[in-house]
Amino acid sequence: MDNRYYVYILSNIFRTVLYIGVTNELGKRLNQHKAKTVWGFAEKYNAVDLIYYESFERIEQALKREKQLKGLEKAEENGSDQKRQSRLKDDRLLIKVLRQAQDDRRENGDESCAL
């Protein structure tokens, strides 16, 4: 078993959806998403491309980061208040940069997701 915890972001081929999750076995979890062995949001919207992940030593750290990133998505969806947008500005930029980097790699024929 891995002694690290991962927050990861998956997207579909069109980059129209993001799935944010936490796991302590990243490889196994990615295989589950690709095989669609556990039904849920990622499987419903075919979000199986890993576009980003972060590693943490403690589950509490990973869960806190997951909530931050999920809050970012909700803020974008709901057009939340200025304070929240300000707090999440860097993460919003991160996700946009990641989406663009993934798209650029695909355009250049690189199908890997090694961010």
Side-chain angles (χ1 to χ4, degrees):
M1 182 190 277
D2 199 347
N3 291 327
R4 301 210 44 94
Y5 299 91
Y6 302 90
V7 175
Y8 60 98
I9 301 175
L10 302 177
S11 188
N12 63 2
I13 193 168
F14 304 107
R15 301 300 177 257
T16 56
V17 297
L18 291 177
Y19 173 83
I20 301 169
V22 172
T23 185
N24 66 332
E25 297 183 53
L26 187 58
K28 179 180 177 181
R29 188 66 179 120
L30 293 175
N31 287 335
Q32 290 173 336
H33 283 295
K34 289 182 181 188
K36 298 182 177 154
T37 58
V38 179
W39 183 251
F41 178 89
E43 292 71 27
K44 180 178 179 181
Y45 294 98
N46 204 29
V48 296
D49 293 339
L50 178 66
I51 62 170
Y52 182 75
Y53 72 91
E54 294 177 9
S55 172
F56 299 90
E57 291 181 6
R58 296 177 34 234
I59 186 64
E60 297 84 6
Q61 295 168 312
L63 291 171
K64 181 178 179 181
R65 182 63 170 150
E66 178 193 34
K67 286 180 183 179
Q68 287 175 332
L69 292 173
K70 285 185 174 181
L72 163 64
E73 278 208 315
K74 288 188 190 322
E76 285 188 339
E77 290 171 8
N78 299 329
S80 76
D81 65 2
Q82 185 64 32
K83 181 179 177 185
R84 184 173 202 175
Q85 288 178 11
S86 174
R87 183 171 55 98
L88 297 171
K89 180 179 173 184
D90 291 340
D91 289 335
R92 186 179 302 112
L93 178 60
L94 170 66
I95 289 174
K96 287 180 182 177
V97 167
L98 291 172
R99 281 181 172 163
Q100 185 60 50
Q102 184 70 17
D103 291 343
D104 290 347
R105 280 203 315 271
R106 285 195 181 279
E107 286 176 12
N108 292 324
D110 183 359
E111 296 294 320
S112 70
C113 296
L115 290 178

